[in-house]
Structures are given as structure tokens and as C-alpha cells.
Amino acid sequence: MWHPHDTLLQAHLDGELAPPEMRELTRHLSACETCRRASAELAGLGYGFSEMVGELDRAEPAEWRAAAPFPPSLAVATRTTGLPRRPARVQRLVLEHHAGAERHGYPEGAERPGRARSFAAWRWAAAALLMVTSVAAAAVVGGPLFHGPRSMPAAPAAETPHPVAVLPALRPAGAIAMAAGSGAVEVALTGAAAGSRLHVTIGNGAELTVSVRSDSASPEPARFRTGDALIAVGLPSALSLVEVEIPATTRTARVLVDGRLAVAVRDGIVTPAAAAAEGIALAPAP
Amino acid sequence: MPAWEELYHEWRLPLLRYVHRLTRDPHLAEDVTHEAFLRLLREQREVRDPRAWLFRVCTNIIRDHARRLATEGRNPVLPESPAPEPPDVTCERAEVVSVVRSALERLTPRDREALLLRESGFRYAEIAEVIGVRKEIVPALIARALRRLQKSYDMEGRDVASA
């Protein structure tokens, strides 16, 4: 009987197999206890490594997590290299941000809060003027110097400077199983520091929706679709609760906050990264 | 906010973390991260994926740094200026960190990079691009590195899976 090597098991755990290979290996694992144990062992080593990295991160300087102004030395460098030109889609998102959009996801076609509209009008005009000036200046400087990522929407910057906040360590709250056919499982990350960056990588190769919702800022979640790519979202400033909705069909996913693993999804099981005793709590959304 | 500043705020902390995890030297992490952003700003060609580009530059700078130290006869894996433990760190936690560092040092640089890039949310294709290997061998690197970590922990009488 054929048994997969560690290499194949690891790729399966990380959601990196093509769908036919994934199906075949999943079938094999359902029938072979030896390989299931080997897979679980590798998965356990992976979780353990995340814990180890969490310990290393405790030794990092606390001031790294505070808001850092753009360094003067880099600001000088930007003045000498000219203005970047970005793909149109990203430019439009930047304009939406400057227009005073209150949500911090990338809603495609979503309604903006009404109270921002009057303020948005003159901001749109100012941003449009800025854009025209930028394009003209880029033409003068010459050539595209920089292209933003095509598949990765850039996280919007907060309108206010990032507050000084220490990213709390993660508190385990037990594994949360995804119910088959439930449509979605909401995983609540409470206590995420304002200004933290949430990154989600999805590994099942399927298009799915990740929404980030605030408990107070806006009633509507900010939703965006992505294929097998990284989604980056800047957390809103006045925030105490972030809900990350991950569809139940997701086999693998990783949610990172400021580069630290917060949630891992493997084989449909949502597991928080366990590190320290206080800070971000993980619990099933009500 | 200009694009450069958005990039900086987006990737500054993940880059610092990645370099710190690789080198355990916070001062080196700050220098390397700053240098990577500086190089990006000076890059005259198109940069399609700045995230992968920045991580690749950091990885290469650290490799160069390690090679230089090795040539000078200095230990490339030990930090030149390790961060002092915060005063509230208990002895037990300091010991855990020390064990973790030792275990990571026993990995090859490439294994360490692959594991830490995966931990930073990179997919195999991206890891391959950053560390300069074929995508097909990335799962082998990761699985092998995890098994080696387990062996290192076994040597310390610990269990990675319950770290």
C-alpha cells in the first residue's frame, strides 16, 4: 500500500496541494491510521514551532509595537526617487480612503456611511487634484518606479497616527471546530490593539470571503474576495473587537496580527496560537 | 499617506519580527529592516511584490552578514548584541527562550528561513522566491526542519509539540 512521505503530508497540512492531490491524500488519510498519526505528529510540531516563535517574540523590544513615524532618512530617499505609480485599482482605494471612508476593509460596491458623504465631497476633489499632480510629476520624473502588488490589496493607513499600544500576547481558548455546512465560522479576536495589522492567508486554493467587522464602528462588515492570496487589513482605530469570518469550507488558513500568528486553521479545525496568558482572547462569535 | 509610508507601516513590524527571529539580535533587526526599505526606495526597476522583495532583501543581508562573521572567525549564529532579558522575565521563561534559541541554531540557515517565512504567512511559492529554491522542495525543507527541531528538543529533554 502506498503511504505518503512527510513532504506530501506537510504540503497537505499547509494547503499547498492541487485539488486532485488533496482529495486523494484526504481519502488515504481517512483510511490509514498510521499516516493519520504521522500527519497529526507533523501538525503538532507545527503548532509547537508557533509556540516557540511566540516565546522568541516576547524578547523583542516593546517599542517595536508602538507607532513608528516614517524615518527621516527614508523620507529623504523618497524625495530623490520620485513618486510611485500604482495600478489603478490601488489608486482608487487610496482615493476612497482619503475621501473619509470610515470602514477599513476593501468593500467592493459597499455603501459608505451617510455622515461621511458631505465631508467626502471636498476630500474627493482634493484627492483627485493630488492624483492628477502625482501623475504629472511621475511623467516628469520618468518611468514607473514602483508597482503595488496586483493580487494583494494594500491595507489602508489609519487617518490618525497609530496609537501607542502594545500588542497583547495571545491567550488560548481551545480549538473551535467548524461545523460542516454552517456557511461560516466567526472567530472573534478581542483586545486587538488599535492600529494592528491583520493578515490572513488562505491555503485551500478556493475563492472565499473574509470579512472584518468592528463591534462599534460600523454595523456592516467590510467584505472582500480573494483567491489564493494574502489579504491585508488595517484594523480600525477605535476598536475592541475584530471578527474574522472564515467560511466553513476553508481547509487551511492563517490569521496573523502584526506578523504574529493568531489563528491557524488546519483540516477545518480552528486553533488559536497559544503563547502568553493575557491579551487577545479567542472565542466563538455569539 | 504616500505609498512609501503605507508600505513602511504595513511591513515594518513583520520584517523586524522575521529578522529578530532569525538573528535574535534586535539592533541588527532594526538595521537590516531599515536597509531593506532604503534599498526598496532606491530600486529603479519595477517591484511587483514589495512584501516578498523586502523579505528577500532582509534574508540576503543576514546571509551576507553571517558569511562576513564566519570569515572573520566570529560565530555567525550568536547575536553580537543580544537583547538583555526584561527585568520581569522569570528564570523559567528565560530558560525556555534559551532552549528555543539553541534549537533554532541547530537548523541550517535555509531550514530556519523556510520555517520562519512560513510562520510569517508566506506560501510555498513565495518562500521559494525569497530563499532562492525550487517550490517543490519547500515542504521537504519545512518537514525536515520540524523533525530536526524535535530532535533538538529531545536532546534538551523537551517536546516540541507541547512547547
Side-chain angles (χ1 to χ4, degrees), chain A residues 74-123:
Chain A
L74 295 182
V76 169
T78 63
R79 284 200 285 276
T80 59
T81 55
L83 297 166
R85 183 166 72 85
R86 307 181 97 196
R89 177 168 170 270
V90 178
Q91 284 170 325
R92 182 171 66 249
L93 293 169
V94 171
L95 284 176
E96 285 172 357
H97 170 70
H98 283 303
E102 288 189 344
R103 64 182 71 256
H104 290 262
Y106 281 86
E108 297 187 37
E111 291 291 322
R112 287 199 186 80
R115 54 191 163 152
R117 284 193 192 123
S118 60
F119 185 56
W122 75 264
R123 292 296 294 271

mmCIF file of all heavy atoms in Angstrom, chain A residues 74-123:
data_model
loop_
_atom_site.group_PDB
_atom_site.id
_atom_site.type_symbol
_atom_site.label_atom_id
_atom_site.label_comp_id
_atom_site.label_asym_id
_atom_site.label_seq_id
_atom_site.Cartn_x
_atom_site.Cartn_y
_atom_site.Cartn_z
ATOM 1 N N LEU A 74 14.453 57.736 5.410
ATOM 2 C CA LEU A 74 13.687 57.171 4.300
ATOM 3 C C LEU A 74 12.902 58.264 3.589
ATOM 4 O O LEU A 74 12.722 58.216 2.382
ATOM 5 C CB LEU A 74 12.728 56.085 4.792
ATOM 6 C CG LEU A 74 13.388 54.827 5.378
ATOM 7 C CD1 LEU A 74 12.318 53.806 5.788
ATOM 8 C CD2 LEU A 74 14.339 54.193 4.385
ATOM 9 N N ALA A 75 12.462 59.281 4.353
ATOM 10 C CA ALA A 75 11.720 60.384 3.733
ATOM 11 C C ALA A 75 12.616 61.115 2.737
ATOM 12 O O ALA A 75 12.182 61.505 1.662
ATOM 13 C CB ALA A 75 11.211 61.339 4.802
ATOM 14 N N VAL A 76 13.898 61.261 3.097
ATOM 15 C CA VAL A 76 14.836 61.906 2.177
ATOM 16 C C VAL A 76 14.968 61.070 0.917
ATOM 17 O O VAL A 76 14.978 61.580 -0.199
ATOM 18 C CB VAL A 76 16.213 62.086 2.853
ATOM 19 C CG1 VAL A 76 17.260 62.489 1.832
ATOM 20 C CG2 VAL A 76 16.128 63.112 3.956
ATOM 21 N N ALA A 77 15.045 59.757 1.089
ATOM 22 C CA ALA A 77 15.196 58.863 -0.063
ATOM 23 C C ALA A 77 13.982 58.959 -0.979
ATOM 24 O O ALA A 77 14.110 58.914 -2.198
ATOM 25 C CB ALA A 77 15.403 57.424 0.412
ATOM 26 N N THR A 78 12.752 59.130 -0.404
ATOM 27 C CA THR A 78 11.574 59.206 -1.282
ATOM 28 C C THR A 78 11.626 60.478 -2.116
ATOM 29 O O THR A 78 11.173 60.501 -3.244
ATOM 30 C CB THR A 78 10.258 59.210 -0.480
ATOM 31 O OG1 THR A 78 10.220 60.372 0.347
ATOM 32 C CG2 THR A 78 10.129 57.979 0.376
ATOM 33 N N ARG A 79 12.187 61.541 -1.563
ATOM 34 C CA ARG A 79 12.219 62.797 -2.329
ATOM 35 C C ARG A 79 13.155 62.676 -3.511
ATOM 36 O O ARG A 79 12.974 63.346 -4.513
ATOM 37 C CB ARG A 79 12.662 63.949 -1.428
ATOM 38 C CG ARG A 79 11.570 64.417 -0.482
ATOM 39 C CD ARG A 79 11.864 65.817 0.016
ATOM 40 N NE ARG A 79 12.924 65.813 1.018
ATOM 41 C CZ ARG A 79 12.721 65.569 2.301
ATOM 42 N NH1 ARG A 79 11.507 65.284 2.746
ATOM 43 N NH2 ARG A 79 13.717 65.578 3.161
ATOM 44 N N THR A 80 14.157 61.834 -3.411
ATOM 45 C CA THR A 80 15.097 61.733 -4.514
ATOM 46 C C THR A 80 14.688 60.697 -5.541
ATOM 47 O O THR A 80 15.170 60.706 -6.647
ATOM 48 C CB THR A 80 16.506 61.367 -4.003
ATOM 49 O OG1 THR A 80 16.425 60.121 -3.303
ATOM 50 C CG2 THR A 80 17.038 62.431 -3.072
ATOM 51 N N THR A 81 13.781 59.772 -5.200
ATOM 52 C CA THR A 81 13.432 58.735 -6.174
ATOM 53 C C THR A 81 12.142 59.031 -6.911
ATOM 54 O O THR A 81 11.759 58.335 -7.810
ATOM 55 C CB THR A 81 13.285 57.356 -5.522
ATOM 56 O OG1 THR A 81 12.334 57.453 -4.472
ATOM 57 C CG2 THR A 81 14.607 56.874 -4.981
ATOM 58 N N GLY A 82 11.420 60.078 -6.507
ATOM 59 C CA GLY A 82 10.215 60.411 -7.249
ATOM 60 C C GLY A 82 9.000 59.702 -6.717
ATOM 61 O O GLY A 82 9.058 58.910 -5.790
ATOM 62 N N LEU A 83 7.884 59.937 -7.342
ATOM 63 C CA LEU A 83 6.612 59.426 -6.855
ATOM 64 C C LEU A 83 6.319 58.064 -7.462
ATOM 65 O O LEU A 83 6.570 57.844 -8.637
ATOM 66 C CB LEU A 83 5.491 60.398 -7.208
ATOM 67 C CG LEU A 83 5.644 61.764 -6.535
ATOM 68 C CD1 LEU A 83 4.718 62.763 -7.203
ATOM 69 C CD2 LEU A 83 5.327 61.654 -5.054
ATOM 70 N N PRO A 84 5.786 57.183 -6.676
ATOM 71 C CA PRO A 84 5.477 55.868 -7.225
ATOM 72 C C PRO A 84 4.202 55.895 -8.050
ATOM 73 O O PRO A 84 3.311 56.680 -7.796
ATOM 74 C CB PRO A 84 5.273 55.011 -5.969
ATOM 75 C CG PRO A 84 4.786 55.982 -4.949
ATOM 76 C CD PRO A 84 5.453 57.296 -5.261
ATOM 77 N N ARG A 85 4.162 55.035 -9.026
ATOM 78 C CA ARG A 85 2.925 54.895 -9.793
ATOM 79 C C ARG A 85 2.318 53.553 -9.417
ATOM 80 O O ARG A 85 3.001 52.548 -9.375
ATOM 81 C CB ARG A 85 3.238 54.909 -11.290
ATOM 82 C CG ARG A 85 2.017 54.851 -12.167
ATOM 83 C CD ARG A 85 2.385 55.204 -13.597
ATOM 84 N NE ARG A 85 3.166 54.133 -14.246
ATOM 85 C CZ ARG A 85 2.594 53.087 -14.845
ATOM 86 N NH1 ARG A 85 1.303 52.946 -14.851
ATOM 87 N NH2 ARG A 85 3.351 52.173 -15.415
ATOM 88 N N ARG A 86 1.041 53.553 -9.115
ATOM 89 C CA ARG A 86 0.391 52.338 -8.648
ATOM 90 C C ARG A 86 -0.694 51.916 -9.625
ATOM 91 O O ARG A 86 -1.248 52.739 -10.334
ATOM 92 C CB ARG A 86 -0.243 52.584 -7.286
ATOM 93 C CG ARG A 86 0.736 53.155 -6.299
ATOM 94 C CD ARG A 86 0.100 53.351 -4.976
ATOM 95 N NE ARG A 86 0.388 52.238 -4.108
ATOM 96 C CZ ARG A 86 -0.282 51.981 -2.998
ATOM 97 N NH1 ARG A 86 -1.296 52.725 -2.667
ATOM 98 N NH2 ARG A 86 0.032 50.982 -2.236
ATOM 99 N N PRO A 87 -1.007 50.657 -9.616
ATOM 100 C CA PRO A 87 -2.100 50.214 -10.502
ATOM 101 C C PRO A 87 -3.384 50.956 -10.165
ATOM 102 O O PRO A 87 -3.600 51.350 -9.034
ATOM 103 C CB PRO A 87 -2.239 48.726 -10.191
ATOM 104 C CG PRO A 87 -0.932 48.346 -9.585
ATOM 105 C CD PRO A 87 -0.417 49.563 -8.896
ATOM 106 N N ALA A 88 -4.262 51.070 -11.144
ATOM 107 C CA ALA A 88 -5.464 51.886 -10.989
ATOM 108 C C ALA A 88 -6.309 51.429 -9.812
ATOM 109 O O ALA A 88 -6.853 52.213 -9.073
ATOM 110 C CB ALA A 88 -6.281 51.847 -12.277
ATOM 111 N N ARG A 89 -6.437 50.119 -9.609
ATOM 112 C CA ARG A 89 -7.307 49.627 -8.546
ATOM 113 C C ARG A 89 -6.814 50.123 -7.201
ATOM 114 O O ARG A 89 -7.574 50.573 -6.369
ATOM 115 C CB ARG A 89 -7.333 48.103 -8.589
ATOM 116 C CG ARG A 89 -8.158 47.495 -7.481
ATOM 117 C CD ARG A 89 -8.391 46.031 -7.733
ATOM 118 N NE ARG A 89 -8.972 45.401 -6.575
ATOM 119 C CZ ARG A 89 -8.260 44.846 -5.593
ATOM 120 N NH1 ARG A 89 -6.969 44.830 -5.656
ATOM 121 N NH2 ARG A 89 -8.866 44.296 -4.553
ATOM 122 N N VAL A 90 -5.517 50.076 -6.981
ATOM 123 C CA VAL A 90 -4.997 50.524 -5.699
ATOM 124 C C VAL A 90 -5.148 52.026 -5.581
ATOM 125 O O VAL A 90 -5.445 52.547 -4.521
ATOM 126 C CB VAL A 90 -3.526 50.100 -5.554
ATOM 127 C CG1 VAL A 90 -2.958 50.606 -4.254
ATOM 128 C CG2 VAL A 90 -3.431 48.586 -5.621
ATOM 129 N N GLN A 91 -5.001 52.722 -6.684
ATOM 130 C CA GLN A 91 -5.183 54.169 -6.617
ATOM 131 C C GLN A 91 -6.594 54.513 -6.211
ATOM 132 O O GLN A 91 -6.840 55.389 -5.414
ATOM 133 C CB GLN A 91 -4.868 54.795 -7.973
ATOM 134 C CG GLN A 91 -3.386 54.884 -8.252
ATOM 135 C CD GLN A 91 -3.116 55.278 -9.669
ATOM 136 O OE1 GLN A 91 -3.849 54.905 -10.569
ATOM 137 N NE2 GLN A 91 -2.062 56.024 -9.885
ATOM 138 N N ARG A 92 -7.541 53.767 -6.737
ATOM 139 C CA ARG A 92 -8.935 54.062 -6.401
ATOM 140 C C ARG A 92 -9.152 53.838 -4.912
ATOM 141 O O ARG A 92 -9.808 54.602 -4.241
ATOM 142 C CB ARG A 92 -9.863 53.162 -7.217
ATOM 143 C CG ARG A 92 -11.326 53.461 -6.953
ATOM 144 C CD ARG A 92 -12.247 52.732 -7.902
ATOM 145 N NE ARG A 92 -12.190 51.297 -7.708
ATOM 146 C CZ ARG A 92 -11.653 50.466 -8.598
ATOM 147 N NH1 ARG A 92 -11.138 50.923 -9.712
ATOM 148 N NH2 ARG A 92 -11.620 49.183 -8.376
ATOM 149 N N LEU A 93 -8.545 52.806 -4.362
ATOM 150 C CA LEU A 93 -8.719 52.517 -2.945
ATOM 151 C C LEU A 93 -8.099 53.611 -2.107
ATOM 152 O O LEU A 93 -8.629 53.989 -1.084
ATOM 153 C CB LEU A 93 -8.096 51.169 -2.614
ATOM 154 C CG LEU A 93 -8.819 49.982 -3.254
ATOM 155 C CD1 LEU A 93 -8.006 48.732 -3.103
ATOM 156 C CD2 LEU A 93 -10.194 49.819 -2.661
ATOM 157 N N VAL A 94 -6.962 54.137 -2.557
ATOM 158 C CA VAL A 94 -6.338 55.231 -1.818
ATOM 159 C C VAL A 94 -7.252 56.443 -1.823
ATOM 160 O O VAL A 94 -7.428 57.111 -0.820
ATOM 161 C CB VAL A 94 -4.963 55.571 -2.430
ATOM 162 C CG1 VAL A 94 -4.401 56.833 -1.815
ATOM 163 C CG2 VAL A 94 -4.004 54.409 -2.216
ATOM 164 N N LEU A 95 -7.881 56.715 -2.954
ATOM 165 C CA LEU A 95 -8.810 57.829 -3.032
ATOM 166 C C LEU A 95 -9.987 57.619 -2.094
ATOM 167 O O LEU A 95 -10.445 58.535 -1.443
ATOM 168 C CB LEU A 95 -9.321 57.989 -4.458
ATOM 169 C CG LEU A 95 -8.333 58.624 -5.430
ATOM 170 C CD1 LEU A 95 -8.933 58.637 -6.817
ATOM 171 C CD2 LEU A 95 -8.010 60.039 -4.990
ATOM 172 N N GLU A 96 -10.487 56.411 -2.027
ATOM 173 C CA GLU A 96 -11.617 56.140 -1.150
ATOM 174 C C GLU A 96 -11.231 56.412 0.286
ATOM 175 O O GLU A 96 -11.985 56.929 1.076
ATOM 176 C CB GLU A 96 -12.074 54.688 -1.297
ATOM 177 C CG GLU A 96 -12.847 54.446 -2.578
ATOM 178 C CD GLU A 96 -13.130 52.978 -2.790
ATOM 179 O OE1 GLU A 96 -12.681 52.174 -1.966
ATOM 180 O OE2 GLU A 96 -13.787 52.676 -3.780
ATOM 181 N N HIS A 97 -10.006 56.051 0.612
ATOM 182 C CA HIS A 97 -9.563 56.293 1.975
ATOM 183 C C HIS A 97 -9.486 57.783 2.251
ATOM 184 O O HIS A 97 -9.959 58.275 3.248
ATOM 185 C CB HIS A 97 -8.210 55.630 2.192
ATOM 186 C CG HIS A 97 -7.582 56.031 3.481
ATOM 187 N ND1 HIS A 97 -8.074 55.635 4.701
ATOM 188 C CD2 HIS A 97 -6.548 56.840 3.738
ATOM 189 C CE1 HIS A 97 -7.332 56.169 5.649
ATOM 190 N NE2 HIS A 97 -6.395 56.890 5.104
ATOM 191 N N HIS A 98 -8.861 58.522 1.330
ATOM 192 C CA HIS A 98 -8.725 59.954 1.542
ATOM 193 C C HIS A 98 -10.067 60.652 1.557
ATOM 194 O O HIS A 98 -10.198 61.741 2.070
ATOM 195 C CB HIS A 98 -7.859 60.576 0.438
ATOM 196 C CG HIS A 98 -6.403 60.321 0.636
ATOM 197 N ND1 HIS A 98 -5.730 60.682 1.770
ATOM 198 C CD2 HIS A 98 -5.502 59.703 -0.151
ATOM 199 C CE1 HIS A 98 -4.469 60.311 1.672
ATOM 200 N NE2 HIS A 98 -4.303 59.715 0.524
ATOM 201 N N ALA A 99 -11.071 59.995 0.957
ATOM 202 C CA ALA A 99 -12.399 60.589 0.938
ATOM 203 C C ALA A 99 -13.094 60.454 2.269
ATOM 204 O O ALA A 99 -14.238 60.831 2.415
ATOM 205 C CB ALA A 99 -13.243 59.944 -0.154
ATOM 206 N N GLY A 100 -12.454 59.891 3.234
ATOM 207 C CA GLY A 100 -13.035 59.838 4.570
ATOM 208 C C GLY A 100 -13.829 58.589 4.823
ATOM 209 O O GLY A 100 -14.677 58.560 5.708
ATOM 210 N N ALA A 101 -13.584 57.548 4.047
ATOM 211 C CA ALA A 101 -14.303 56.297 4.288
ATOM 212 C C ALA A 101 -14.001 55.828 5.683
ATOM 213 O O ALA A 101 -12.851 55.811 6.101
ATOM 214 C CB ALA A 101 -13.884 55.254 3.250
ATOM 215 N N GLU A 102 -15.014 55.401 6.405
ATOM 216 C CA GLU A 102 -14.799 55.023 7.791
ATOM 217 C C GLU A 102 -14.475 53.548 7.941
ATOM 218 O O GLU A 102 -13.946 53.124 8.934
ATOM 219 C CB GLU A 102 -16.045 55.343 8.608
ATOM 220 C CG GLU A 102 -16.213 56.839 8.798
ATOM 221 C CD GLU A 102 -17.317 57.163 9.772
ATOM 222 O OE1 GLU A 102 -18.123 56.283 10.053
ATOM 223 O OE2 GLU A 102 -17.369 58.302 10.234
ATOM 224 N N ARG A 103 -14.842 52.781 6.949
ATOM 225 C CA ARG A 103 -14.537 51.371 7.094
ATOM 226 C C ARG A 103 -13.111 51.132 6.635
ATOM 227 O O ARG A 103 -12.561 51.874 5.853
ATOM 228 C CB ARG A 103 -15.518 50.514 6.309
ATOM 229 C CG ARG A 103 -15.473 50.706 4.813
ATOM 230 C CD ARG A 103 -16.509 49.864 4.088
ATOM 231 N NE ARG A 103 -17.861 50.333 4.287
ATOM 232 C CZ ARG A 103 -18.729 49.765 5.090
ATOM 233 N NH1 ARG A 103 -18.409 48.711 5.775
ATOM 234 N NH2 ARG A 103 -19.948 50.218 5.216
ATOM 235 N N HIS A 104 -12.518 50.123 7.118
ATOM 236 C CA HIS A 104 -11.125 49.890 6.825
ATOM 237 C C HIS A 104 -10.891 48.576 6.118
ATOM 238 O O HIS A 104 -9.799 48.077 6.083
ATOM 239 C CB HIS A 104 -10.308 49.926 8.117
ATOM 240 C CG HIS A 104 -10.219 51.304 8.675
ATOM 241 N ND1 HIS A 104 -9.160 52.137 8.486
ATOM 242 C CD2 HIS A 104 -11.115 52.026 9.380
ATOM 243 C CE1 HIS A 104 -9.403 53.297 9.071
ATOM 244 N NE2 HIS A 104 -10.584 53.261 9.622
ATOM 245 N N GLY A 105 -11.913 47.997 5.583
ATOM 246 C CA GLY A 105 -11.725 46.838 4.721
ATOM 247 C C GLY A 105 -11.686 47.347 3.304
ATOM 248 O O GLY A 105 -11.460 48.524 3.061
ATOM 249 N N TYR A 106 -11.944 46.482 2.361
ATOM 250 C CA TYR A 106 -11.999 46.924 0.976
ATOM 251 C C TYR A 106 -13.313 46.488 0.375
ATOM 252 O O TYR A 106 -13.370 45.567 -0.412
ATOM 253 C CB TYR A 106 -10.825 46.345 0.176
ATOM 254 C CG TYR A 106 -9.586 47.115 0.443
ATOM 255 C CD1 TYR A 106 -8.791 46.811 1.524
ATOM 256 C CD2 TYR A 106 -9.245 48.195 -0.353
ATOM 257 C CE1 TYR A 106 -7.670 47.550 1.800
ATOM 258 C CE2 TYR A 106 -8.122 48.933 -0.079
ATOM 259 C CZ TYR A 106 -7.342 48.608 0.996
ATOM 260 O OH TYR A 106 -6.243 49.328 1.278
ATOM 261 N N PRO A 107 -14.379 47.150 0.820
ATOM 262 C CA PRO A 107 -15.677 46.740 0.294
ATOM 263 C C PRO A 107 -15.778 47.074 -1.188
ATOM 264 O O PRO A 107 -15.397 48.160 -1.609
ATOM 265 C CB PRO A 107 -16.655 47.604 1.086
ATOM 266 C CG PRO A 107 -15.855 48.776 1.523
ATOM 267 C CD PRO A 107 -14.454 48.287 1.702
ATOM 268 N N GLU A 108 -16.228 46.120 -1.947
ATOM 269 C CA GLU A 108 -16.397 46.382 -3.366
ATOM 270 C C GLU A 108 -17.863 46.640 -3.619
ATOM 271 O O GLU A 108 -18.674 45.718 -3.572
ATOM 272 C CB GLU A 108 -15.893 45.193 -4.167
ATOM 273 C CG GLU A 108 -14.390 44.995 -3.925
ATOM 274 C CD GLU A 108 -13.798 43.945 -4.821
ATOM 275 O OE1 GLU A 108 -14.200 43.851 -5.985
ATOM 276 O OE2 GLU A 108 -12.937 43.200 -4.352
ATOM 277 N N GLY A 109 -18.180 47.904 -3.820
ATOM 278 C CA GLY A 109 -19.574 48.259 -4.059
ATOM 279 C C GLY A 109 -20.372 48.437 -2.796
ATOM 280 O O GLY A 109 -21.580 48.615 -2.843
ATOM 281 N N ALA A 110 -19.720 48.450 -1.656
ATOM 282 C CA ALA A 110 -20.470 48.610 -0.412
ATOM 283 C C ALA A 110 -20.847 50.060 -0.213
ATOM 284 O O ALA A 110 -20.191 50.966 -0.719
ATOM 285 C CB ALA A 110 -19.631 48.108 0.762
ATOM 286 N N GLU A 111 -21.901 50.284 0.556
ATOM 287 C CA GLU A 111 -22.351 51.645 0.819
ATOM 288 C C GLU A 111 -21.436 52.290 1.850
ATOM 289 O O GLU A 111 -21.016 51.647 2.800
ATOM 290 C CB GLU A 111 -23.779 51.610 1.402
ATOM 291 C CG GLU A 111 -24.813 51.171 0.397
ATOM 292 C CD GLU A 111 -25.033 52.190 -0.695
ATOM 293 O OE1 GLU A 111 -25.003 53.393 -0.386
ATOM 294 O OE2 GLU A 111 -25.227 51.798 -1.837
ATOM 295 N N ARG A 112 -21.151 53.566 1.671
ATOM 296 C CA ARG A 112 -20.386 54.281 2.676
ATOM 297 C C ARG A 112 -21.337 54.871 3.705
ATOM 298 O O ARG A 112 -22.474 55.167 3.396
ATOM 299 C CB ARG A 112 -19.606 55.417 2.035
ATOM 300 C CG ARG A 112 -18.448 54.925 1.228
ATOM 301 C CD ARG A 112 -17.456 56.011 1.001
ATOM 302 N NE ARG A 112 -16.429 55.533 0.111
ATOM 303 C CZ ARG A 112 -16.545 55.464 -1.208
ATOM 304 N NH1 ARG A 112 -17.663 55.896 -1.773
ATOM 305 N NH2 ARG A 112 -15.606 54.987 -1.945
ATOM 306 N N PRO A 113 -20.866 55.060 4.905
ATOM 307 C CA PRO A 113 -21.720 55.684 5.925
ATOM 308 C C PRO A 113 -22.177 57.060 5.467
ATOM 309 O O PRO A 113 -21.391 57.832 4.931
ATOM 310 C CB PRO A 113 -20.809 55.794 7.140
ATOM 311 C CG PRO A 113 -19.765 54.771 6.912
ATOM 312 C CD PRO A 113 -19.574 54.675 5.437
ATOM 313 N N GLY A 114 -23.462 57.371 5.699
ATOM 314 C CA GLY A 114 -24.039 58.613 5.191
ATOM 315 C C GLY A 114 -23.367 59.848 5.737
ATOM 316 O O GLY A 114 -23.154 60.825 5.063
ATOM 317 N N ARG A 115 -22.995 59.817 7.003
ATOM 318 C CA ARG A 115 -22.472 61.046 7.592
ATOM 319 C C ARG A 115 -21.133 61.436 7.006
ATOM 320 O O ARG A 115 -20.663 62.530 7.169
ATOM 321 C CB ARG A 115 -22.330 60.887 9.094
ATOM 322 C CG ARG A 115 -21.517 59.698 9.492
ATOM 323 C CD ARG A 115 -21.637 59.469 10.958
ATOM 324 N NE ARG A 115 -21.195 58.126 11.294
ATOM 325 C CZ ARG A 115 -20.681 57.814 12.463
ATOM 326 N NH1 ARG A 115 -20.579 58.711 13.399
ATOM 327 N NH2 ARG A 115 -20.303 56.596 12.707
ATOM 328 N N ALA A 116 -20.451 60.529 6.292
ATOM 329 C CA ALA A 116 -19.165 60.870 5.699
ATOM 330 C C ALA A 116 -19.325 61.536 4.347
ATOM 331 O O ALA A 116 -18.387 62.066 3.806
ATOM 332 C CB ALA A 116 -18.319 59.622 5.558
ATOM 333 N N ARG A 117 -20.562 61.525 3.772
ATOM 334 C CA ARG A 117 -20.713 61.958 2.372
ATOM 335 C C ARG A 117 -20.379 63.429 2.179
ATOM 336 O O ARG A 117 -19.678 63.786 1.250
ATOM 337 C CB ARG A 117 -22.116 61.677 1.871
ATOM 338 C CG ARG A 117 -22.314 60.211 1.574
ATOM 339 C CD ARG A 117 -23.558 59.923 0.795
ATOM 340 N NE ARG A 117 -23.763 58.472 0.835
ATOM 341 C CZ ARG A 117 -24.860 57.902 1.294
ATOM 342 N NH1 ARG A 117 -25.864 58.619 1.724
ATOM 343 N NH2 ARG A 117 -24.974 56.593 1.308
ATOM 344 N N SER A 118 -20.912 64.309 3.038
ATOM 345 C CA SER A 118 -20.673 65.734 2.797
ATOM 346 C C SER A 118 -19.198 66.034 2.960
ATOM 347 O O SER A 118 -18.613 66.797 2.222
ATOM 348 C CB SER A 118 -21.518 66.567 3.747
ATOM 349 O OG SER A 118 -21.175 66.255 5.073
ATOM 350 N N PHE A 119 -18.573 65.411 3.919
ATOM 351 C CA PHE A 119 -17.154 65.605 4.136
ATOM 352 C C PHE A 119 -16.375 65.002 2.986
ATOM 353 O O PHE A 119 -15.343 65.512 2.594
ATOM 354 C CB PHE A 119 -16.768 64.919 5.451
ATOM 355 C CG PHE A 119 -15.350 65.148 5.870
ATOM 356 C CD1 PHE A 119 -14.847 66.431 6.023
ATOM 357 C CD2 PHE A 119 -14.509 64.083 6.106
ATOM 358 C CE1 PHE A 119 -13.544 66.645 6.426
ATOM 359 C CE2 PHE A 119 -13.199 64.293 6.504
ATOM 360 C CZ PHE A 119 -12.711 65.567 6.665
ATOM 361 N N ALA A 120 -16.945 63.930 2.425
ATOM 362 C CA ALA A 120 -16.245 63.241 1.358
ATOM 363 C C ALA A 120 -16.122 64.086 0.108
ATOM 364 O O ALA A 120 -15.148 63.985 -0.616
ATOM 365 C CB ALA A 120 -16.951 61.932 1.028
ATOM 366 N N ALA A 121 -17.144 64.965 -0.124
ATOM 367 C CA ALA A 121 -17.184 65.684 -1.403
ATOM 368 C C ALA A 121 -15.909 66.476 -1.648
ATOM 369 O O ALA A 121 -15.250 66.310 -2.670
ATOM 370 C CB ALA A 121 -18.400 66.607 -1.428
ATOM 371 N N TRP A 122 -15.538 67.349 -0.715
ATOM 372 C CA TRP A 122 -14.359 68.176 -0.973
ATOM 373 C C TRP A 122 -13.082 67.350 -0.871
ATOM 374 O O TRP A 122 -12.095 67.619 -1.526
ATOM 375 C CB TRP A 122 -14.329 69.372 -0.045
ATOM 376 C CG TRP A 122 -13.935 69.114 1.370
ATOM 377 C CD1 TRP A 122 -14.776 68.906 2.417
ATOM 378 C CD2 TRP A 122 -12.608 69.026 1.887
ATOM 379 N NE1 TRP A 122 -14.049 68.704 3.554
ATOM 380 C CE2 TRP A 122 -12.720 68.763 3.281
ATOM 381 C CE3 TRP A 122 -11.330 69.154 1.323
ATOM 382 C CZ2 TRP A 122 -11.613 68.633 4.097
ATOM 383 C CZ3 TRP A 122 -10.225 69.014 2.150
ATOM 384 C CH2 TRP A 122 -10.376 68.756 3.527
ATOM 385 N N ARG A 123 -13.132 66.261 -0.077
ATOM 386 C CA ARG A 123 -11.960 65.413 0.002
ATOM 387 C C ARG A 123 -11.704 64.706 -1.327
ATOM 388 O O ARG A 123 -10.562 64.517 -1.744
ATOM 389 C CB ARG A 123 -12.119 64.369 1.104
ATOM 390 C CG ARG A 123 -12.132 64.928 2.523
ATOM 391 C CD ARG A 123 -10.807 65.573 2.892
ATOM 392 N NE ARG A 123 -9.724 64.612 2.949
ATOM 393 C CZ ARG A 123 -9.386 63.925 4.042
ATOM 394 N NH1 ARG A 123 -10.064 64.085 5.156
ATOM 395 N NH2 ARG A 123 -8.390 63.086 4.021
#
